[in-house]
Amino acid sequence: MQHSGAAGGRGCAVFPLLSILFFQGVYIILSLEIKADAHVRGYVGEKIKLKCTFKSTSAVTDKLTIDWTYRPPSSSRTESIFHYQSFQYPTTAGTFRDRISWVGNVYIGDASISISNPTIKDNGTFSCAVKNPPDVHHNIPVTELTVTERGFGTMLSSVALLSILVFVPSALVLVLLLVRMGRKAAGLKKRSKSGYKKSSIEVSDDTDQEEEDACVARLCVRCAECLDSDYEETY
């Protein structure tokens, strides 16, 4: 805390990075500010990050601690799922066993964690608490986690994107091939009616053209196979 002002005048107290909390009729100066996402949405089986950041007026030391707790919906019971002090200690019991990972960095004010293989049973309220002595007074932000199955609309959009990237170019190549084959067939029919005979050079050109058409046809088949394989991996 610093005091400024002329001698004999009124001083002005300056609190850098401080917040004030009114609790039970008492004003409490918060020297540690914590922020977390109020709502996080995730999908079953896909890793979820629970973000938590903090600002402290004191330098980070080995006394800094971070605690994450979980409370199921419609319950007052809380469960400790993660503790940090110089090293990370994820829970070794309960539903979150072997599924909590440390993804934060205390030196940049990051106290985030992640949940692997989330299920609908993980829905609930998560709290992030940080203490950095002598800064121990802080707000307690909570995050409401909602885990759901990926809906049909999400899968449909993925299939649509895959079709645009793979199927549409293949279809265009196929159309061009059919057009060229149609023109070639029409030309041969016209020549046969007039009794036209090809020269050796034209015969050679036709052979090259047939090889080119066969190559394009193989390309179309390959694109179709890629589309089928990518579609199966999506599901």
Side-chain angles (χ1 to χ4, degrees):
M1 182 174 65
Q2 299 176 348
H3 295 277
S4 62
R10 295 183 178 180
C12 177
V14 179
F15 297 92
L17 296 176
L18 299 186
S19 300
I20 298 178
L21 174 67
F22 184 74
F23 179 71
Q24 294 183 350
V26 178
Y27 286 99
I28 301 176
I29 298 177
L30 304 181
S31 52
L32 189 61
E33 181 182 4
I34 307 174
K35 293 182 179 180
D37 294 330
H39 300 280
V40 172
R41 184 181 181 86
Y43 298 101
V44 172
E46 300 181 19
K47 182 177 289 188
I48 298 173
K49 180 179 179 179
L50 300 181
K51 187 176 180 180
C52 177
T53 60
F54 64 90
K55 290 182 180 180
S56 176
T57 59
S58 301
V60 172
T61 67
D62 57 2
K63 294 182 179 180
L64 179 142
T65 61
I66 299 172
D67 288 282
W68 278 90
T69 58
Y70 165 74
R71 178 169 57 84
S74 305
S75 174
S76 59
R77 178 183 59 85
T78 60
E79 172 187 352
S80 176
I81 61 172
F82 181 86
H83 175 74
Y84 176 97
Q85 184 171 9
S86 297
F87 194 76
Q88 55 266 25
Y89 300 94
T91 181
T92 57
T95 59
F96 292 97
R97 178 182 179 181
D98 299 328
R99 295 198 295 128
I100 302 297
S101 300
W102 169 249
V103 294
N105 184 340
V106 296
Y107 296 103
I108 60 174
D110 190 348
S112 305
I113 60 173
S114 66
I115 304 175
S116 301
N117 301 316
T119 68
I120 295 177
K121 293 182 180 180
D122 295 337
N123 289 343
T125 304
F126 294 79
S127 300
C128 174
V130 181
K131 295 184 184 297
N132 185 35
D135 297 346
V136 295
H137 296 293
H138 60 81
N139 57 315
I140 303 179
V142 296
T143 298
E144 295 292 338
L145 175 63
T146 303
V147 181
T148 60
E149 295 278 1
R150 277 198 176 275
F152 177 74
T154 304
M155 293 187 292
L156 184 61
S157 62
S158 299
V159 173
L161 179 59
L162 185 63
S163 298
I164 293 174
L165 295 177
V166 180
F167 179 74
V168 173
S170 302
L172 291 175
V173 172
L174 181 60
V175 170
L176 291 175
L177 177 61
L178 293 175
V179 170
R180 294 183 65 177
M181 292 176 65
R183 289 180 177 177
K184 181 179 179 181
L188 291 175
K189 186 176 180 181
K190 183 177 180 181
R191 290 175 183 177
S192 63
K193 287 182 178 180
S194 61
Y196 175 79
K197 293 184 178 181
K198 299 180 181 179
S199 66
S200 59
I201 297 177
E202 289 177 319
V203 172
S204 176
D205 290 342
D206 287 344
T207 302
D208 293 340
Q209 183 63 44
E210 289 175 358
E211 293 179 354
E212 181 180 347
D213 291 342
C215 181
V216 174
R218 288 195 297 270
L219 177 61
C220 291
V221 172
R222 180 54 182 164
C223 290
E225 292 175 352
C226 291
L227 175 61
D228 292 338
S229 62
D230 290 341
Y231 182 82
E232 291 176 358
E233 290 178 359
T234 303
Y235 291 92

